[in-house]
Amino acid sequence: MWRKYLNSFLARLSYHNGLLKPLNKPNLFAVETTSVCNLECIMCPYPIMKRPKGFIDEALFKKIMDRWAGTSYLIRLHGLGEPLLDKRIAALINYAGGRGVRTEISSNCTAMTADRAREILSSKLFQIILSLDGAHKSTYEHIRKKGDFDRVTANIETFLRLKEETRSPVRAVLQIILMNETVGEVDEFMARWAPYKQRGILNEFRIKRFSTWAGQVEGFQAMADAKLRYYPEAEPKRVPCFYLWESVVALQDGRVTPCCFDYEGKVILGDLKTQSFEEVWHGQKMRDLRRRHLEGDFDNELCRNCREYPRTAFAPGYPLNRAGLKSVWTWIQILMGRKQVIENIPVDVTPP
């Protein structure tokens, strides 16, 4: 585990000092095991996505997991598709887990049968996000086109009941996305599922801020007031995106893109079917993108209108400054067991 902490430190060191060739290895943010989905949600670009839809090649998946086992805290096995539509998903999770990789999937729960729930609960999965946008049938079915509210809530209840019966260690997160239509239902949503949280079956409620997908999709901003979105307050001056020094995303077909908002694969950095990981991470395309950000040039199809990049304070001289010392202290606490890392975010586990 210490290698992952060191890798995170080196990523910040490389970012704050503007290195075009980072000292760290890339943290793998996500592997899209499938780009196939069975819903057409109004806040998701899947219905307009033009790139090919399919399932990841198993040999490619294993190659990726073998390579990233020592550098990533948590790898998300989802992208624009529904992971439970892949009948191999438990086997893929177990392969990754066998390599010491913590994995997460996010599911719309439409395909969460009792058998599939048992399969997931007995796997090496670290965490599952159960997505349910709305406390009422009318709200949910307007947002999650082709979804059946009654069926999905029943599937979630079955999953949580089986989790309790089997005492599975898989973390369960129930999520609702903040939108103009859902914000008034959040309290009712939490009250409806509170008994599962009180019994310790449900590990977390996640009230997720709305994403405009980096401002790429016309009409998405109208679905959520600015206060409901990621980083609602504008930054005085845009900073280089930390993702370019920290992580990448592997699409279902093996192509690599800099972040999860690149749903169409507009900014392709390389292809893991034909290139090594080092060739992609230190390749000319990636170095050019970092250089342009450092120069204040964000004019490309993915970054141009993005307001959802991580707001990491750009601090030259790291780690010999306040930001660096704070980061070092955080990792010391993690190593001492006073904090844990979930989704790459240090989370305080000491009593309030």
Side-chain angles (χ1 to χ4, degrees):
M1 183 62 75
W2 67 268
R3 289 185 301 168
K4 299 178 182 180
Y5 299 150
L6 175 61
N7 201 58
S8 177
F9 171 78
L10 292 176
R12 285 164 173 75
L13 178 66
S14 300
Y15 169 77
H16 289 301
N17 291 285
L19 303 184
L20 296 183
K21 189 174 181 180
L23 301 173
N24 59 298
K25 297 177 181 178
N27 170 46
L28 185 57
F29 186 85
V31 177
E32 185 183 61
T33 52
T34 180
S35 55
V36 176
C37 191
N38 56 348
L39 299 186
E40 295 182 356
C41 305
I42 64 173
M43 71 296 191
C44 177
Y46 179 81
I48 62 172
M49 186 178 76
K50 295 182 175 62
R51 64 182 171 91
K53 299 176 175 66
F55 298 87
I56 195 169
D57 178 75
E58 189 170 342
L60 176 60
F61 179 86
K62 290 180 177 180
K63 174 185 174 183
I64 293 171
M65 290 302 112
D66 290 344
R67 174 60 183 81
W68 254 287
T71 60
S72 300
Y73 300 110
L74 180 71
I75 298 179
R76 298 151 183 84
L77 303 185
H78 57 264
L80 263 287
E82 166 51 47
L84 294 188
L85 295 181
D86 188 344
K87 295 180 180 179
R88 310 164 302 166
I89 190 63
L92 298 180
I93 290 167
N94 288 334
Y95 185 87
R99 299 302 182 274
V101 177
R102 292 199 307 181
T103 55
E104 172 193 272
I105 60 173
S106 178
S107 174
N108 61 35
C109 300
T110 55
M112 183 68 82
T113 63
D115 287 343
R116 181 52 60 88
R118 291 188 184 93
E119 191 176 44
I120 295 299
L121 288 166
S122 62
S123 74
K124 296 180 183 296
L125 184 69
F126 172 68
Q127 178 168 277
I128 183 170
I129 297 173
L130 310 166
S131 298
L132 183 67
D133 295 308
H136 298 285
K137 182 179 179 71
S138 58
T139 305
Y140 172 87
E141 293 182 0
H142 174 71
I143 294 171
R144 297 250 170 192
K145 300 293 187 184
K146 297 186 177 181
D148 184 316
F149 180 76
D150 297 327
R151 176 184 173 188
V152 169
T153 52
N155 289 350
I156 293 174
E157 287 175 333
T158 297
F159 179 85
L160 295 175
R161 174 178 56 80
L162 290 172
K163 181 177 186 292
E164 184 176 38
E165 290 177 2
T166 60
R167 298 183 180 181
S168 171
V170 174
R171 295 187 84 252
V173 178
L174 187 64
Q175 175 178 285
I176 183 172
I177 297 175
L178 285 177
M179 304 172 61
N180 294 339
E181 294 186 64
T182 62
V183 65
E185 299 184 9
V186 170
D187 290 343
E188 188 175 353
F189 173 86
M190 295 180 67
R192 160 71 174 79
W193 298 95
Y196 293 97
K197 183 73 164 60
Q198 292 164 358
R199 282 152 52 194
I201 311 167
L202 186 62
N203 297 87
E204 179 186 340
F205 282 120
R206 182 167 299 174
I207 315 302
K208 185 179 180 181
R209 288 190 171 274
F210 185 82
S211 168
T212 67
W213 291 85
Q216 298 176 88
V217 186
E218 186 177 355
F220 271 24
Q221 292 191 10
M223 295 182 192
D225 293 338
K227 63 183 179 181
L228 305 179
R229 303 176 204 157
Y230 284 103
Y231 306 111
E233 297 181 1
E235 236 183 354
K237 181 180 178 181
R238 187 168 177 179
V239 297
C241 180
F242 177 57
Y243 286 152
L244 302 183
W245 281 262
E246 194 258 354
S247 62
V248 290
V249 171
L251 300 179
Q252 162 268 324
D253 58 5
R255 293 181 300 159
V256 177
T257 189
C259 84
C260 59
F261 294 132
D262 194 3
Y263 68 90
E264 199 65 88
K266 295 176 180 177
V267 180
I268 296 300
L269 305 170
D271 191 333
L272 295 179
K273 296 193 300 295
T274 58
Q275 294 177 280
S276 71
F277 302 95
E278 288 74 17
E279 287 173 331
V280 175
W281 186 238
H282 295 305
Q284 191 63 48
K285 290 182 179 179
M286 193 61 157
R287 294 201 306 272
D288 285 346
L289 191 55
R290 292 183 187 120
R291 176 184 53 76
R292 290 176 64 183
H293 270 234
L294 288 169
E295 293 173 353
D297 179 5
F298 308 102
D299 192 19
N300 63 69
E301 289 185 277
L302 177 61
C303 307
R304 184 177 298 123
N305 298 314
C306 182
R307 296 295 179 270
E308 296 161 345
Y309 55 89
R311 303 299 169 89
T312 302
F314 198 53
Y318 183 97
L320 302 177
N321 53 30
R322 184 175 180 180
L325 295 175
K326 183 178 180 181
S327 177
V328 169
W329 174 238
T330 296
W331 292 114
I332 289 174
Q333 289 181 297
I334 289 171
L335 291 171
M336 293 172 61
R338 295 178 61 188
K339 288 181 182 288
Q340 62 179 322
V341 175
I342 296 177
E343 291 195 349
N344 298 356
I345 301 172
V347 178
D348 201 337
V349 295
T350 56

